[in-house]
Short mmCIF file of all heavy atoms in Angstrom, two decimals:
data_model
loop_
_atom_site.label_atom_id
_atom_site.label_comp_id
_atom_site.label_asym_id
_atom_site.label_seq_id
_atom_site.Cartn_x
_atom_site.Cartn_y
_atom_site.Cartn_z
N GLY B 228 81.87 95.89 132.88
CA GLY B 228 82.22 97.15 132.23
C GLY B 228 83.41 97.87 132.84
O GLY B 228 84.02 98.72 132.19
N SER B 229 83.72 97.55 134.07
CA SER B 229 84.85 98.21 134.75
C SER B 229 85.79 97.16 135.32
O SER B 229 85.34 96.19 135.93
CB SER B 229 84.35 99.10 135.88
OG SER B 229 83.52 100.13 135.39
N THR B 230 87.07 97.38 135.12
CA THR B 230 88.08 96.47 135.65
C THR B 230 89.16 97.27 136.36
O THR B 230 89.45 98.43 136.01
CB THR B 230 88.73 95.63 134.53
OG1 THR B 230 89.30 96.50 133.54
CG2 THR B 230 87.71 94.73 133.87
N TYR B 231 89.75 96.67 137.36
CA TYR B 231 90.76 97.33 138.18
C TYR B 231 91.90 96.34 138.45
O TYR B 231 91.65 95.14 138.59
CB TYR B 231 90.15 97.78 139.51
CG TYR B 231 88.91 98.61 139.35
CD1 TYR B 231 87.67 98.01 139.23
CD2 TYR B 231 88.98 100.01 139.30
CE1 TYR B 231 86.52 98.77 139.06
CE2 TYR B 231 87.83 100.77 139.15
CZ TYR B 231 86.61 100.15 139.03
OH TYR B 231 85.48 100.90 138.86
N TYR B 232 93.12 96.87 138.55
CA TYR B 232 94.28 96.01 138.74
C TYR B 232 95.24 96.60 139.76
O TYR B 232 95.41 97.83 139.85
CB TYR B 232 95.04 95.83 137.41
CG TYR B 232 94.23 95.16 136.34
CD1 TYR B 232 93.51 95.90 135.42
CD2 TYR B 232 94.18 93.77 136.26
CE1 TYR B 232 92.75 95.28 134.44
CE2 TYR B 232 93.43 93.14 135.27
CZ TYR B 232 92.71 93.91 134.37
OH TYR B 232 91.97 93.29 133.40
N ASP B 233 95.88 95.71 140.48
CA ASP B 233 96.98 96.14 141.33
C ASP B 233 98.15 96.52 140.44
O ASP B 233 98.32 95.98 139.33
CB ASP B 233 97.38 95.02 142.28
CG ASP B 233 98.46 95.45 143.25
OD1 ASP B 233 98.14 96.21 144.18
OD2 ASP B 233 99.62 95.05 143.06
N ASP B 234 98.98 97.44 140.92
CA ASP B 234 100.10 97.92 140.13
C ASP B 234 101.04 96.78 139.73
O ASP B 234 101.67 96.82 138.67
CB ASP B 234 100.89 98.97 140.92
CG ASP B 234 100.05 100.18 141.26
OD1 ASP B 234 99.00 100.40 140.62
OD2 ASP B 234 100.42 100.91 142.19
N SER B 235 101.14 95.77 140.57
CA SER B 235 102.09 94.69 140.32
C SER B 235 101.71 93.78 139.16
O SER B 235 102.56 93.03 138.65
CB SER B 235 102.25 93.85 141.59
OG SER B 235 101.02 93.21 141.93
N VAL B 236 100.45 93.83 138.75
CA VAL B 236 100.00 92.91 137.68
C VAL B 236 99.45 93.64 136.46
O VAL B 236 99.16 93.01 135.44
CB VAL B 236 98.94 91.93 138.20
CG1 VAL B 236 99.46 91.17 139.42
CG2 VAL B 236 97.63 92.64 138.52
N ARG B 237 99.28 94.96 136.57
CA ARG B 237 98.69 95.71 135.46
C ARG B 237 99.55 95.55 134.21
O ARG B 237 100.76 95.67 134.24
CB ARG B 237 98.56 97.19 135.83
CG ARG B 237 97.79 98.01 134.79
CD ARG B 237 97.60 99.44 135.25
NE ARG B 237 96.73 99.52 136.42
CZ ARG B 237 97.14 99.90 137.63
NH1 ARG B 237 98.40 100.24 137.81
NH2 ARG B 237 96.30 99.95 138.63
N GLY B 238 98.90 95.23 133.10
CA GLY B 238 99.60 95.02 131.85
C GLY B 238 99.97 93.56 131.61
O GLY B 238 100.32 93.18 130.49
N ARG B 239 99.90 92.75 132.66
CA ARG B 239 100.22 91.31 132.52
C ARG B 239 99.00 90.43 132.74
O ARG B 239 98.87 89.38 132.11
CB ARG B 239 101.31 90.91 133.53
CG ARG B 239 102.62 91.67 133.36
CD ARG B 239 103.70 91.09 134.25
NE ARG B 239 103.39 91.20 135.66
CZ ARG B 239 103.31 90.17 136.51
NH1 ARG B 239 103.53 88.94 136.06
NH2 ARG B 239 103.03 90.35 137.78
N PHE B 240 98.12 90.84 133.64
CA PHE B 240 96.93 90.06 133.97
C PHE B 240 95.70 90.73 133.35
O PHE B 240 95.63 91.96 133.28
CB PHE B 240 96.73 89.96 135.47
CG PHE B 240 97.74 89.12 136.21
CD1 PHE B 240 98.91 88.67 135.60
CD2 PHE B 240 97.52 88.79 137.54
CE1 PHE B 240 99.83 87.90 136.28
CE2 PHE B 240 98.43 88.01 138.24
CZ PHE B 240 99.59 87.57 137.61
N THR B 241 94.72 89.90 132.98
CA THR B 241 93.46 90.41 132.46
C THR B 241 92.30 89.69 133.13
O THR B 241 92.24 88.46 133.11
CB THR B 241 93.36 90.22 130.94
OG1 THR B 241 94.46 90.87 130.30
CG2 THR B 241 92.05 90.80 130.41
N ILE B 242 91.41 90.46 133.73
CA ILE B 242 90.24 89.88 134.37
C ILE B 242 89.06 89.98 133.42
O ILE B 242 88.93 90.95 132.66
CB ILE B 242 89.94 90.60 135.71
CG1 ILE B 242 88.90 89.84 136.52
CG2 ILE B 242 89.52 92.06 135.48
CD1 ILE B 242 88.73 90.37 137.94
N SER B 243 88.20 88.96 133.42
CA SER B 243 87.01 88.96 132.56
C SER B 243 85.95 88.11 133.23
O SER B 243 86.20 87.47 134.26
CB SER B 243 87.35 88.42 131.17
OG SER B 243 87.80 87.08 131.25
N ARG B 244 84.76 88.11 132.65
CA ARG B 244 83.69 87.30 133.19
C ARG B 244 82.72 86.91 132.09
O ARG B 244 82.59 87.61 131.07
CB ARG B 244 82.98 88.03 134.32
CG ARG B 244 82.24 89.27 133.92
CD ARG B 244 81.77 90.05 135.15
NE ARG B 244 80.82 89.26 135.94
CZ ARG B 244 80.59 89.48 137.24
NH1 ARG B 244 81.21 90.44 137.87
NH2 ARG B 244 79.71 88.73 137.87
N ASP B 245 82.02 85.82 132.32
CA ASP B 245 80.97 85.34 131.42
C ASP B 245 79.76 85.05 132.31
O ASP B 245 79.66 83.99 132.91
CB ASP B 245 81.44 84.08 130.70
CG ASP B 245 80.41 83.56 129.72
OD1 ASP B 245 79.25 83.99 129.79
OD2 ASP B 245 80.76 82.70 128.89
N ASN B 246 78.87 86.03 132.40
CA ASN B 246 77.73 85.88 133.30
C ASN B 246 76.79 84.76 132.87
O ASN B 246 76.11 84.17 133.70
CB ASN B 246 76.99 87.20 133.43
CG ASN B 246 77.72 88.19 134.32
OD1 ASN B 246 78.66 87.84 135.01
ND2 ASN B 246 77.28 89.44 134.29
N ALA B 247 76.74 84.47 131.60
CA ALA B 247 75.89 83.38 131.12
C ALA B 247 76.36 82.04 131.70
O ALA B 247 75.56 81.12 131.87
CB ALA B 247 75.90 83.33 129.61
N ARG B 248 77.65 81.95 132.00
CA ARG B 248 78.21 80.74 132.58
C ARG B 248 78.52 80.89 134.05
O ARG B 248 79.08 79.98 134.66
CB ARG B 248 79.49 80.35 131.82
CG ARG B 248 79.28 79.97 130.37
CD ARG B 248 80.59 79.94 129.62
NE ARG B 248 81.58 79.06 130.23
CZ ARG B 248 82.85 79.01 129.86
NH1 ARG B 248 83.30 79.81 128.90
NH2 ARG B 248 83.70 78.19 130.46
N SER B 249 78.16 82.04 134.63
CA SER B 249 78.44 82.32 136.04
C SER B 249 79.90 82.03 136.37
O SER B 249 80.22 81.38 137.39
CB SER B 249 77.52 81.51 136.96
OG SER B 249 76.21 82.01 136.93
N THR B 250 80.77 82.51 135.53
CA THR B 250 82.20 82.24 135.70
C THR B 250 82.99 83.51 135.44
O THR B 250 82.65 84.30 134.55
CB THR B 250 82.67 81.15 134.72
OG1 THR B 250 81.86 79.99 134.89
CG2 THR B 250 84.13 80.77 134.99
N ALA B 251 84.03 83.70 136.23
CA ALA B 251 84.97 84.79 136.01
C ALA B 251 86.36 84.19 135.76
O ALA B 251 86.62 83.04 136.14
CB ALA B 251 85.01 85.72 137.22
N PHE B 252 87.21 84.97 135.13
CA PHE B 252 88.52 84.46 134.73
C PHE B 252 89.62 85.46 135.09
O PHE B 252 89.38 86.66 135.18
CB PHE B 252 88.54 84.21 133.22
CG PHE B 252 87.45 83.32 132.73
CD1 PHE B 252 86.28 83.86 132.20
CD2 PHE B 252 87.57 81.94 132.79
CE1 PHE B 252 85.26 83.05 131.76
CE2 PHE B 252 86.56 81.11 132.35
CZ PHE B 252 85.40 81.67 131.83
N LEU B 253 90.80 84.92 135.24
CA LEU B 253 91.99 85.76 135.38
C LEU B 253 93.06 85.18 134.46
O LEU B 253 93.61 84.12 134.75
CB LEU B 253 92.49 85.80 136.83
CG LEU B 253 93.64 86.78 137.08
CD1 LEU B 253 93.16 88.22 136.93
CD2 LEU B 253 94.24 86.57 138.47
N GLN B 254 93.30 85.87 133.36
CA GLN B 254 94.35 85.46 132.43
C GLN B 254 95.66 86.08 132.91
O GLN B 254 95.76 87.31 133.02
CB GLN B 254 94.02 85.95 131.02
CG GLN B 254 95.10 85.63 129.99
CD GLN B 254 95.25 84.16 129.74
OE1 GLN B 254 94.25 83.44 129.60
NE2 GLN B 254 96.48 83.67 129.64
N MET B 255 96.63 85.23 133.18
CA MET B 255 97.91 85.69 133.71
C MET B 255 99.02 85.41 132.72
O MET B 255 99.29 84.23 132.43
CB MET B 255 98.20 85.00 135.06
CG MET B 255 97.08 85.14 136.06
SD MET B 255 97.50 84.49 137.69
CE MET B 255 97.72 82.77 137.30
N ASN B 256 99.60 86.45 132.18
CA ASN B 256 100.69 86.33 131.22
C ASN B 256 101.99 86.88 131.82
O ASN B 256 101.97 87.59 132.82
CB ASN B 256 100.36 87.09 129.94
CG ASN B 256 99.13 86.56 129.24
OD1 ASN B 256 98.82 85.36 129.31
ND2 ASN B 256 98.41 87.44 128.56
N SER B 257 103.09 86.54 131.18
CA SER B 257 104.41 87.03 131.62
C SER B 257 104.60 86.81 133.11
O SER B 257 105.01 87.71 133.85
CB SER B 257 104.56 88.52 131.27
OG SER B 257 104.41 88.74 129.89
N LEU B 258 104.30 85.62 133.56
CA LEU B 258 104.36 85.32 134.99
C LEU B 258 105.78 85.41 135.53
O LEU B 258 106.76 85.10 134.84
CB LEU B 258 103.77 83.94 135.26
CG LEU B 258 102.24 83.89 135.23
CD1 LEU B 258 101.74 82.48 135.06
CD2 LEU B 258 101.67 84.51 136.50
N LYS B 259 105.86 85.86 136.77
CA LYS B 259 107.13 86.03 137.47
C LYS B 259 107.14 85.16 138.72
O LYS B 259 106.08 84.83 139.27
CB LYS B 259 107.31 87.49 137.88
CG LYS B 259 107.21 88.49 136.75
CD LYS B 259 107.28 89.92 137.28
CE LYS B 259 107.16 90.94 136.16
NZ LYS B 259 107.23 92.34 136.67
N PRO B 260 108.32 84.78 139.20
CA PRO B 260 108.37 83.98 140.44
C PRO B 260 107.63 84.64 141.60
O PRO B 260 107.03 83.95 142.43
CB PRO B 260 109.87 83.88 140.71
CG PRO B 260 110.49 83.94 139.35
CD PRO B 260 109.64 84.92 138.58
N GLU B 261 107.62 85.96 141.66
CA GLU B 261 106.93 86.66 142.75
C GLU B 261 105.41 86.59 142.63
O GLU B 261 104.70 87.02 143.55
CB GLU B 261 107.38 88.13 142.84
CG GLU B 261 107.33 88.88 141.52
CD GLU B 261 108.69 88.92 140.83
OE1 GLU B 261 109.36 87.87 140.77
OE2 GLU B 261 109.04 90.02 140.33
N ASP B 262 104.90 86.03 141.53
CA ASP B 262 103.45 85.80 141.41
C ASP B 262 103.04 84.51 142.09
O ASP B 262 101.84 84.22 142.19
CB ASP B 262 103.04 85.74 139.93
CG ASP B 262 103.22 87.06 139.20
OD1 ASP B 262 102.91 88.12 139.80
OD2 ASP B 262 103.68 87.03 138.04
N THR B 263 104.00 83.72 142.55
CA THR B 263 103.70 82.47 143.23
C THR B 263 102.88 82.72 144.49
O THR B 263 103.26 83.51 145.34
CB THR B 263 105.01 81.75 143.60
OG1 THR B 263 105.69 81.37 142.39
CG2 THR B 263 104.72 80.50 144.42
N ALA B 264 101.73 82.06 144.58
CA ALA B 264 100.81 82.26 145.71
C ALA B 264 99.61 81.34 145.52
O ALA B 264 99.45 80.73 144.47
CB ALA B 264 100.35 83.72 145.78
N VAL B 265 98.78 81.29 146.55
CA VAL B 265 97.46 80.69 146.40
C VAL B 265 96.51 81.80 145.98
O VAL B 265 96.46 82.86 146.63
CB VAL B 265 96.97 80.04 147.71
CG1 VAL B 265 95.55 79.49 147.53
CG2 VAL B 265 97.92 78.94 148.14
N TYR B 266 95.78 81.59 144.91
CA TYR B 266 94.87 82.60 144.37
C TYR B 266 93.43 82.25 144.74
O TYR B 266 93.00 81.11 144.61
CB TYR B 266 95.03 82.67 142.85
CG TYR B 266 96.27 83.42 142.42
CD1 TYR B 266 97.53 82.86 142.61
CD2 TYR B 266 96.18 84.69 141.86
CE1 TYR B 266 98.68 83.55 142.24
CE2 TYR B 266 97.32 85.39 141.49
CZ TYR B 266 98.56 84.82 141.68
OH TYR B 266 99.70 85.50 141.32
N PHE B 267 92.72 83.27 145.19
CA PHE B 267 91.33 83.14 145.61
C PHE B 267 90.47 84.11 144.80
O PHE B 267 90.92 85.17 144.41
CB PHE B 267 91.16 83.49 147.09
CG PHE B 267 91.96 82.65 148.03
CD1 PHE B 267 93.28 82.97 148.33
CD2 PHE B 267 91.39 81.56 148.66
CE1 PHE B 267 94.01 82.21 149.22
CE2 PHE B 267 92.12 80.78 149.55
CZ PHE B 267 93.44 81.11 149.83
N CYS B 268 89.19 83.74 144.63
CA CYS B 268 88.23 84.71 144.11
C CYS B 268 87.15 84.91 145.17
O CYS B 268 86.91 84.05 146.01
CB CYS B 268 87.63 84.26 142.79
SG CYS B 268 86.79 82.66 142.80
N ALA B 269 86.51 86.06 145.11
CA ALA B 269 85.49 86.41 146.08
C ALA B 269 84.54 87.43 145.46
O ALA B 269 84.84 88.03 144.42
CB ALA B 269 86.13 86.97 147.35
#
Side-chain angles (χ1 to χ4, degrees):
S229 298
T230 57
Y231 307 87
Y232 297 94
D233 184 73
D234 299 341
S235 64
V236 305
R237 187 176 294 113
R239 300 188 297 122
F240 291 11
T241 302
I242 191 170
S243 62
R244 65 190 297 158
D245 182 346
N246 284 348
R248 295 166 56 190
S249 287
T250 305
F252 305 96
L253 186 68
Q254 177 67 44
M255 307 187 296
N256 299 329
S257 302
L258 283 162
K259 305 175 181 180
E261 51 263 45
D262 294 319
T263 295
V265 177
Y266 283 71
F267 300 85
C268 58

